[in-house]
Amino acid sequence: MSLTNILNICNTALNVEEKRIEISANNLANSESTDYKNGKFTPYTAKIAILSTYKKDKYGLEGVKIKEIVKTKDPYKKIYNPNHPLSDSKGYLKLSNVNVLNETVNYLNASRRYEANLEMIKTIKYMLLKTVSICK
């Protein structure tokens, strides 16, 4: 394995973690949003990224990629608020299924993984520079 292969693997991880942070930010920003589609108000549905491996090299090592971004199947929250204009006939208001605590943990997790991959790239860069200096 070459150092450039490691850089490529880290690059795939950086791209994935960046997207995961974007998804968490989107979920948090829309945790109280409502969409209007087909004449109906529907609460925002949280999204998650499904990850998979990204092409093996000749040693069987792989990067990571986002296979797809899907809506979660978590149930919507319901609160009794008969005075709200979007409440149903029984007085219940459907709210987003975003769990703010889980999204915050997801965001922090992705952020830490991003930082770890940056540190790996810094280490590889240091090793490459040391190798070049020896060859001079």
Side-chain angles (χ1 to χ4, degrees), residues 50-115:
I50 306 295
L51 307 183
S52 69
T53 55
Y54 182 71
K55 67 180 178 182
K56 291 181 183 178
D57 67 7
K58 64 182 178 182
Y59 301 104
L61 299 175
E62 305 164 283
V64 63
K65 69 176 182 178
I66 292 181
K67 183 177 178 183
E68 63 183 313
I69 297 172
V70 298
K71 292 181 177 181
T72 64
K73 295 179 179 176
D74 295 336
Y76 294 109
K77 295 174 219 161
K78 268 184 158 181
I79 61 168
Y80 183 70
N81 187 354
N83 297 325
H84 195 282
L86 301 180
S87 296
D88 63 15
S89 60
K90 294 179 182 174
Y92 285 96
L93 177 63
K94 255 191 193 178
L95 300 174
S96 169
N97 63 355
V98 174
N99 182 322
V100 174
L101 183 60
N102 285 348
E103 285 305 323
T104 304
V105 169
N106 289 341
Y107 160 74
L108 291 173
N109 186 1
S111 177
R112 296 292 181 259
R113 289 173 187 250
Y114 191 92
E115 289 174 13

Side-chain angles (χ1 to χ4, degrees), residues 118-129:
L118 279 181
E119 286 301 317
M120 179 74 77
I121 289 172
K122 284 182 188 175
T123 302
I124 299 302
K125 178 183 171 187
Y126 175 79
M127 292 168 66
L128 288 169
L129 289 174

Side-chain angles (χ1 to χ4, degrees), residues 21-39:
I21 290 169
E22 183 181 329
I23 292 167
S24 286
N26 188 53
N27 285 341
L28 286 170
N30 288 296
S31 63
E32 295 185 11
S33 296
T34 304
D35 291 331
Y36 184 75
K37 292 179 184 172
N38 303 327

